[in-house]
């Protein structure tokens, strides 16, 4: 039996259409999921939408519609984004789903039974946009002197009856958890959270009475759950909690919660405390990635620089966009993108380097060998290249992807691509055709093996293009995982079967930068 692996994204708040940050996180999580499957693990991958709360209720009221109607429409846009970007999720969860209401009420009862919930009066600063409460000392002054949250969002003074969670009871245990290697990554986020918890934890307001769009608090009329109890519980809803399902037994605790750096507190302080209270196992890792900036600026409606990720995918292609996200930015740090950067990176590495290598290799086999494969004796240069490619594809890239260091893994992959192109230039198979046809065949068969291994390695990032290329080289669908890299049996079987390369079709066309105003849209 393969080792299970459970990964989740943050569930997206659908009070507007998806933006580039939502796409970035979804693609990164999908690459992790596909990578772990290719490493032979049984993967469960969950994403979805967080639909309750005051923001949704207010926006629906402004539009003269129900919150449910707004949630249905907006959630549909997020699902469309995931499907368009080839996100291989197993469950797209919505917090308005009936099984999620049941799970949220179950964890509430478990925390209540532990004596960790009590009724009191809340007075304090609340950010509707963040769905979060802040202490006075956390607030910052805006340009006009108005009070803002640490994220720069407006806050309002709120007074209402509320259920409270005894977060303060868990301060020492949370601090110990945060200091445990690997739980909160990267290190910069971990240090921020250690500093926050070391400053003292106050009990947390976990219900509201000022609106009714949410999960009802069991046995407390008029109260709905504060959004973070409701939202965070989605990760266990999707495995069948509170029932002892096969999914629950197999996949919890989660291996990785992949989230944005702005919600690390909720996932590494509040969520573990809720789980400790309910006597449930804790997730193994929470990773807070950085923001994707538009030409160095955070996207906002006020700046008019919000980019629809589906527009980018339509303009540049899904696979090039996925590659750019993971290659351009050191994961965990903030990064910047633009149309020029996407075109430059993808043309240089996908079209000109790997795409051209694959196209030249398959074209020469098609033209000079009638597409037929041949068993050939290899020399030292051939063996050296195969070893270089295997090391990059089966060792270096998987090692770095396992650490979520995607850019470093793809850098190792690119070094192997460059080695292949250098080998082509040095061996000059077009010249060997006249002087030494047998040597030409050995060179082309070496390159074919390398192209196949390179395609398998990069497949988690560019699954559509990689599969189209692997189809052309005759790689069986069930032999496209990391265990297949460097395995020569596939090649011998293809030669024996009489397989022939058909006229090749390029899988990484060159991108063009749009002219005029469109070129400034990203």
């Amino acid at each position: 039996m393969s080792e299970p692996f459970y990964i989740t994204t943050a569930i997206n708040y659908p009070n507007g259409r998806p933006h580039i940050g939502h796409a970035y996180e979804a693609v990164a999580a999908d690459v992790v999921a596909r990578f772990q499957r290719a490493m032979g693990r049984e993967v469960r991958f969950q994403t979805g939408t967080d639909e309750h709360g005051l923001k949704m209720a207010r926006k629906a009221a402004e539009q003269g519609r129900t919150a449910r109607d707004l949630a249905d429409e907006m959630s549909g846009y997020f699902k469309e984004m995931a499907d368009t970007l080839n996100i291989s999720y197993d469950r797209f969860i919505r917090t308005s789903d009936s099984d999620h209401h049941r799970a949220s009420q179950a964890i509430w009862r478990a925390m209540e039974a532990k004596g960790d919930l009590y009724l009191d009066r809340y007075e304090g600063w609340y950010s509707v946009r963040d769905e979060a409460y802040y202490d006075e000392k956390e607030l910052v002054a805006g340009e006009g002197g108005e009070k803002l949250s640490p994220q720069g969002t407006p806050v309002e003074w709120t007074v209402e009856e509320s259920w409270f969670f005894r977060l303060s009871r868990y301060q020492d245990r949370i601090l110990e958890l945060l200091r445990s290697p690997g739980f909160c990554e990267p290190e910069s986020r971990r240090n921020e959270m250690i500093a926050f918890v070391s400053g003292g934890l106050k009990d947390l307001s976990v219900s509201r009475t000022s609106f009714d769009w949410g999960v009802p608090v069991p046995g407390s009329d008029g109260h709905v759950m504060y959004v973070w109890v409701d939202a965070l519980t989605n990760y266990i809803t999707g495995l069948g909690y509170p029932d002892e399902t096969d999914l629950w037994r197999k996949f919890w605790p989660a291996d990785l919660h992949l989230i944005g750096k702005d919600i690390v507190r909720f996932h590494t302080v509040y969520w573990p405390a809720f789980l400790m209270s309910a006597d449930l196992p804790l997730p193994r890792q929470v990773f807070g990635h950085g923001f994707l900036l538009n030409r160095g600026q955070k996207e906002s409606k006020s700046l008019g620089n919000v980019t629809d990720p589906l527009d980018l995918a339509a303009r540049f292609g899904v696979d090039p966009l996925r590659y750019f996200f993971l290659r351009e930015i050191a994961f965990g740090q903030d990064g910047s993108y633009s149309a020029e950067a996407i075109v430059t990176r993808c043309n240089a590495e996908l079209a000109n380097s790997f795409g051209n290598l694959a196209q030249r290799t398959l074209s020469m086999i098609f033209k000079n060998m009638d597409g037929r494969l041949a068993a050939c004796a290899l020399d030292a240069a051939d063996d050296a290249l195969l070893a270089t490619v295997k090391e990059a594809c089966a060792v270096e890239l998987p090692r770095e992807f396992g650490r979520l260091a995607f850019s470093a893994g793809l850098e190792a992959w690119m070094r192997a691509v460059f080695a292949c192109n250098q080998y082509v230039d040095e061996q000059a198979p077009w010249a060997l055709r006249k002087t030494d046809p047998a040597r030409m065949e050995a060179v082309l068969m070496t390159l074919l093996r390398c192209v196949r291994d390179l395609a398998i390695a990069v497949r988690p990032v560019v699954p559509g293009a990689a599969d189209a290329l692997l189809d052309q080289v005759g790689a069986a669908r069930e032999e496209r995982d990391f265990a297949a890299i460097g395995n020569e049996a596939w090649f011998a079987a293809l030669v024996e079967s009489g397989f022939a390369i058909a006229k090749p079709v390029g899988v990484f066309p060159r991108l063009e930068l749009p002219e005029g105003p469109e070129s400034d849209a990203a």
Side-chain angles (χ1 to χ4, degrees):
M1 294 292 289
S2 64
E3 186 181 356
F5 185 90
Y6 181 34
I7 178 173
T8 71
T9 67
I11 50 173
N12 300 306
Y13 203 77
N15 65 326
R17 289 175 181 253
H19 57 63
I20 200 71
H22 298 124
Y24 178 54
E25 180 171 298
V27 167
D30 183 64
V31 170
V32 174
R34 290 178 182 273
F35 165 70
Q36 292 292 346
R37 291 189 196 107
M39 291 296 287
R41 300 184 71 173
E42 184 178 2
V43 172
R44 177 81 177 176
F45 175 20
Q46 182 167 298
T47 189
T49 45
D50 170 18
E51 300 173 13
H52 295 136
L54 187 56
K55 276 188 293 190
M56 290 290 285
R58 284 185 177 176
K59 180 148 190 171
E62 289 169 6
Q63 297 180 1
R65 61 202 294 199
T66 66
R68 163 66 78 168
D69 184 44
L70 175 64
D72 287 346
E73 177 191 349
M74 291 297 176
S75 184
Y77 295 135
F78 281 86
K79 191 171 186 301
E80 179 189 14
M81 178 196 75
D83 293 340
T84 299
L85 295 177
N86 206 358
I87 308 302
S88 59
Y89 59 85
D90 296 290
R91 167 91 187 255
F92 186 96
I93 195 167
R94 299 179 55 186
T95 54
S96 56
D97 292 342
S98 59
D99 64 338
H100 179 67
H101 281 228
R102 178 171 173 260
S104 299
Q105 291 179 331
I107 196 171
W108 182 282
R109 291 190 183 98
M111 294 190 296
E112 187 176 34
K114 197 71 166 287
D116 284 336
L117 296 174
Y118 62 92
L119 196 61
D120 204 338
R121 178 182 174 88
Y122 178 79
E123 295 187 21
W125 295 104
Y126 182 73
S127 166
V128 176
R129 195 177 302 172
D130 298 344
E131 296 283 11
Y133 298 101
Y134 295 101
D135 291 335
E136 181 87 31
K137 63 184 180 183
E138 295 183 90
L139 302 182
V140 297
E143 292 183 2
E146 71 275 19
K147 294 180 184 295
L148 300 175
S149 77
Q151 273 69 248
T153 58
V155 294
E156 54 190 58
W157 185 257
T158 302
V159 180
E160 63 181 307
E161 182 183 70
S162 176
W163 283 94
F164 281 77
F165 173 73
R166 298 185 193 277
L167 183 63
S168 57
R169 177 180 285 180
Y170 293 91
Q171 177 170 330
D172 291 344
R173 291 177 66 184
I174 295 295
L175 203 51
E176 181 183 358
L177 174 66
L178 288 168
R179 288 171 174 158
S180 302
F183 173 71
C184 180
E185 295 292 337
E187 184 181 7
S188 58
R189 315 279 184 258
R190 180 166 66 252
N191 291 338
E192 289 170 7
M193 290 304 103
I194 289 173
F196 170 71
V197 176
S198 297
L201 292 179
K202 293 184 177 180
D203 290 351
L204 185 68
S205 173
V206 290
S207 78
R208 303 295 301 274
T209 59
S210 54
F211 59 94
D212 61 3
W213 175 238
V215 178
V217 171
S220 190
D221 291 344
H223 284 259
V224 294
M225 293 182 194
Y226 160 56
V227 69
W228 286 103
V229 176
D230 164 10
L232 292 162
T233 301
N234 92 88
Y235 302 129
I236 55 178
T237 299
L239 301 179
Y241 178 83
D243 298 332
E244 281 282 330
T245 64
D246 289 342
L247 288 176
W248 175 261
R249 285 188 290 269
K250 182 178 291 184
F251 290 108
W252 191 260
D255 293 271
L256 178 61
H257 290 319
L258 194 62
I259 60 168
K261 66 179 183 180
D262 53 335
I263 54 173
V264 170
R265 177 194 305 185
F266 309 109
H267 286 77
T268 62
V269 179
Y270 301 168
W271 180 225
F274 297 159
L275 292 168
M276 289 173 183
S277 177
D279 292 320
L280 296 173
L282 306 184
R284 294 187 174 94
Q285 185 175 95
V286 177
F287 191 99
H289 62 76
F291 292 142
L292 192 58
L293 307 175
N294 187 335
R295 299 182 185 275
Q297 289 185 308
K298 190 173 180 181
E299 292 196 343
S300 72
K301 292 178 183 177
S302 60
L303 291 175
N305 66 345
V306 177
T307 304
D308 184 339
L310 299 192
D311 287 347
L312 282 183
R315 190 185 313 166
F316 300 118
V318 170
D319 281 333
L321 188 62
R322 288 170 60 106
Y323 183 84
F324 176 84
F325 282 163
L326 276 295
R327 177 72 172 101
E328 183 79 6
I329 302 154
F331 198 63
Q333 300 177 15
D334 290 348
S336 191
Y337 78 98
S338 65
E340 294 92 339
I342 295 170
V343 168
T344 300
R345 173 71 72 178
C346 293
N347 279 350
E349 298 188 357
L350 292 183
N352 296 351
S353 295
F354 183 53
N356 189 45
L357 169 70
Q359 185 71 7
R360 284 203 293 174
T361 298
L362 299 189
S363 293
M364 285 188 284
I365 295 171
F366 177 73
K367 292 176 182 177
N368 300 328
M369 299 176 63
D370 294 325
R372 298 288 176 183
L373 309 188
C376 305
L378 305 183
D379 70 9
D382 307 334
D383 290 335
L385 181 66
L386 288 168
T388 294
V389 170
K390 183 176 181 180
E391 177 71 12
C393 294
V395 179
E396 294 178 299
L397 182 146
R399 181 186 64 226
E400 299 301 336
F401 274 33
R403 299 169 178 169
L404 305 185
F406 305 114
S407 184
L410 290 172
E411 175 68 28
W413 179 81
M414 276 306 307
R415 287 196 298 270
V417 173
F418 292 148
C420 289
N421 281 316
Q422 183 178 351
Y423 170 89
V424 174
D425 293 339
E426 291 172 351
Q427 298 296 325
W430 52 87
L432 290 171
R433 180 188 176 196
K434 297 178 181 178
T435 61
D436 192 345
R439 178 63 193 148
M440 177 201 72
E441 291 187 357
V443 168
L444 295 181
M445 295 302 98
T446 298
L447 287 169
L448 180 67
R449 291 172 167 91
C450 291
V451 166
R452 178 255 196 183
D453 286 356
L454 288 163
I456 289 174
V458 81
R459 186 171 175 246
V461 183
V462 288
D467 276 337
L469 180 53
L470 289 166
D471 287 345
Q472 294 184 64
V473 303
R477 284 274 167 173
E478 65 276 10
E479 294 179 357
R480 299 184 180 184
D481 57 15
F482 284 94
I485 292 174
N487 184 341
E488 289 294 306
W490 75 278
F491 182 76
L494 278 186
V495 173
E496 181 69 23
S497 71
F499 175 82
I501 300 287
K503 184 176 182 179
V505 177
V507 297
F508 291 115
R510 281 185 56 82
L511 304 180
E512 298 295 334
L513 190 65
E515 296 181 1
E518 275 197 358
S519 65
D520 298 323

